[in-house]
Amino acid sequence: MSFTNPRVQRLRRLLGRRSSRSEEGALVIEGPVMVAEAIAAGWAVEAQFTAPGVEPVTTGAATPVARLAPGVAERVSDLESPTGLFAVVARPSRDAAATLAAASFVVVADRIAEPGNLGTIIRSAEAAGADAVVVTPGTVDETNPKVVRASAGALFHVPVVPAGLADVAAAGLRVIATSSHRGVAHTAFDWSGRVAVVAGNEAAGVDPAEPAITDWVRIEHHGRAESLNVAMATTVLCFEVARDRPD
């Protein structure tokens, strides 16, 4: 397939436009490891596209494979060294209210702007056993290719749903906001019960006037740094929640 082929142009749109991914309910993932993760998680692969000399990932089903002409993969991908393998996958439909109602441990990404931060938050949430990740309005799109890569496949294994903090509170979860300077030390906090840990925007943090918040926690630290990177702070808290909860 040449670069001007309509299917190749669709790949570009899905990689580059949030609106296209939302309208089609699909996204593009790159590389054999990520494609294999999506398949293992049960995500439906619509088609795979391979550069010359690159083989598709076996899906266990009859999945169409399109061969790209030389040089096309490099023009489609935003990676410096493209893997030469793309897959269009359908995003599973998830009911946010039902997901929250069934969850006991949720991580909330509240207006997170940087794709790398959101991807790391999703990765840490999944690794710590969170039941879901919530993305509030104003948060970077979780299907952004940079988010998908930073999640290291975790995006395919933990439900990520859009909701507001009021929705999280309405589901009966304690909404616990993080701060660099206020609240109980995270090691002294009672993490029992159904909890939602809120990580706020990189510059503004969590709105201190947000009515849905029930508690504040802080990570005590030494040295000159005023605060931790939001993804790193969320990782610390995720594993503190996991440590403090029964298996």
Side-chain angles (χ1 to χ4, degrees):
M1 286 185 174
S2 69
F3 181 72
T4 58
N5 184 286
R7 294 179 66 191
V8 174
Q9 291 303 303
R10 179 178 177 239
L11 277 181
R12 294 188 70 211
R13 288 195 303 274
L14 288 174
L15 279 167
R17 298 182 189 172
R18 179 175 187 165
S19 60
S20 295
R21 295 190 293 269
S22 177
E23 290 168 5
E24 297 194 35
L27 64 150
V28 175
I29 53 179
E30 295 186 57
V33 174
M34 296 296 283
V35 174
E37 284 285 354
I39 293 168
W43 286 41
V45 178
E46 176 187 311
Q48 295 186 63
F49 298 77
T50 61
V54 177
E55 293 301 316
V57 174
T58 302
T59 66
T63 302
V65 177
R67 304 293 180 177
L68 301 174
V72 171
E74 289 76 8
R75 296 182 67 184
V76 170
S77 176
D78 64 348
L79 295 174
E80 289 187 10
S81 300
T83 65
L85 173 64
F86 307 87
V88 177
V89 297
R91 183 177 177 181
S93 177
R94 303 192 191 279
D95 183 282
T99 299
L100 289 173
S104 64
F105 171 24
V106 171
V107 176
V108 182
D110 182 32
R111 298 167 295 121
I112 297 299
E114 292 296 325
N117 284 336
L118 180 58
T120 300
I121 287 170
I122 294 171
R123 182 178 185 177
S124 296
E126 192 269 338
D131 300 306
V133 174
V134 167
V135 288
T136 68
T139 295
V140 63
D141 175 26
E142 68 273 16
T143 63
N144 179 299
K146 294 179 180 179
V147 176
V148 176
R149 288 195 293 269
S151 80
L155 176 70
F156 309 123
H157 295 279
V158 62
V160 179
V161 296
L165 292 178
D167 302 313
V168 178
L173 291 140
R174 281 194 295 153
V175 182
I176 303 159
T178 59
S179 172
S180 62
H181 61 280
R182 65 184 294 185
V184 178
H186 75 289
T187 52
F189 189 76
D190 177 11
W191 296 102
S192 61
R194 300 177 64 228
V195 299
V197 178
V198 184
N201 173 266
E202 292 89 343
V206 181
D207 182 356
E210 170 57 55
I213 296 170
T214 57
D215 299 278
W216 289 84
V217 296
R218 70 181 190 279
I219 299 173
E220 294 187 338
H221 55 277
H222 306 283
R224 296 186 300 115
E226 180 181 336
S227 63
L228 296 175
N229 164 276
V230 65
M232 298 300 293
T234 305
T235 299
V236 170
L237 294 175
C238 280
F239 283 93
E240 182 64 19
V241 175
R243 186 191 68 82
D244 202 42
R245 297 170 70 82
D247 294 334

